[in-house]
Amino acid sequence: EDQVTQSPEALRLQEGESSSLNCSYTVSGLRGLFWYRQDPGKGPEFLFTLYSAGEEKEKERLKATLTKKESFLHITAPKPEDSATYLCAVQGAPSSASKIIFGSGTRLSIRP
Amino acid sequence: DAGVIQSPRHEVTEMGQEVTLRCKPISGHNSLFWYRQTMMRGLELLIYFNNNVPIDDSGMPEDRFSAKMPNASFSTLKIQPSEPRDSAVYFCATLAGSARGELFFGEGSRLTVL
């Protein structure tokens, strides 16, 4: 059964203090691993798709990396506006009609 | 495009009542997903459709839950009868066939069952 586990559950950082969020996954034939951001009272918003081990994607202060068993979301010199819940999701084989399942998320708080 | 539109945004009802949540997907998106989010269980996949056909409903908690997609422009999630443990935020999300994993979420429907 496909499974996604995220850690830590919550992370509090000082502004400018870099860190990483972890996403471990088990899936039959990875079609894609995805990162989303969710602000309070809103639906999740898409950030990145990673397709294969070794791939990296960047957006502003965020960089996502992928290995065969886990993904990291690195946050460099974060700002208070980066505070949100970050969700990891996976889609397995065989096709684009496959289900997408989410981890429970990491609540990130950046103090000024 | 207005994005994924869900209604109602908030619903408060009493145990035993029927609840119907509605979703209008983005035009041209051929996959539609219903998720439920709680603090305890996170974001759970309930059911998803591809080209209006239900593909996997293994996440639907029990027979009290049902979902339909009568056409490409509309889907409903119904709970009958509702119970307090159904209290959660229910999200509808859609996906264009060519885009892997880029789900577009609605604002969610917050359900409270008293």
Side-chain angles (χ1 to χ4, degrees), chain B residues 83-109:
Chain B
E83 297 183 2
R85 59 189 167 131
D86 301 331
S87 297
V89 181
Y90 291 80
F91 286 103
C92 173
T94 66
L95 177 69
S98 61
R100 285 194 239 177
E102 188 170 351
L103 288 168
F104 289 80
F105 281 80
E107 295 281 277
S109 294

Side-chain angles (χ1 to χ4, degrees), chain A residues 6 21 35-47 62 73 80-88 102-109, chain B residues 6 9 35-39 41-44 88-92 105-110:
Chain A
Q6 292 188 245
L21 313 181
W35 284 97
Y36 285 77
R37 170 187 170 131
Q38 186 175 23
D39 293 303
K42 302 287 188 181
E45 183 179 340
F46 174 80
L47 291 172
L62 301 177
L73 184 66
E81 54 261 42
D82 295 322
S83 298
T85 295
Y86 290 85
L87 298 164
C88 174
F102 283 79
S104 54
T106 294
R107 292 189 310 278
L108 177 65
S109 175
Chain B
Q6 290 187 246
R9 290 294 314 280
Y35 289 91
R36 175 172 70 175
Q37 188 172 42
T38 61
M39 287 294 293
R41 301 175 68 89
L43 198 59
E44 301 174 275
V89 181
Y90 291 80
F91 286 103
C92 173
F105 281 80
E107 295 281 277
S109 294
R110 179 175 294 277

Side-chain angles (χ1 to χ4, degrees), chain A residues 3-67:
Chain A
Q3 194 166 6
V4 180
T5 303
Q6 292 188 245
S7 62
E9 288 187 13
L11 182 62
R12 296 186 70 185
L13 300 172
Q14 199 70 33
E15 184 174 1
E17 180 184 1
S18 301
S19 188
S20 297
L21 313 181
N22 177 264
C23 170
S24 299
Y25 65 91
T26 304
V27 66
S28 301
L30 181 69
R31 182 169 171 82
L33 183 141
F34 321 108
W35 284 97
Y36 285 77
R37 170 187 170 131
Q38 186 175 23
D39 293 303
K42 302 287 188 181
E45 183 179 340
F46 174 80
L47 291 172
F48 304 110
T49 300
L50 300 166
Y51 298 113
S52 58
E55 188 174 1
E56 298 182 353
K57 293 275 179 72
E58 285 189 68
K59 181 178 181 179
E60 295 182 357
R61 295 174 292 282
L62 301 177
K63 184 169 79 171
T65 62
L66 181 65
T67 72

Side-chain angles (χ1 to χ4, degrees), chain A residues 99, chain B residues 45-49 54-63 65-67:
Chain A
K99 61 186 176 183
Chain B
L45 177 62
L46 299 177
I47 184 171
Y48 72 103
F49 297 82
I55 303 299
D56 187 336
D57 66 354
S58 60
M60 296 285 260
E62 48 199 272
D63 292 345
F65 285 68
S66 62

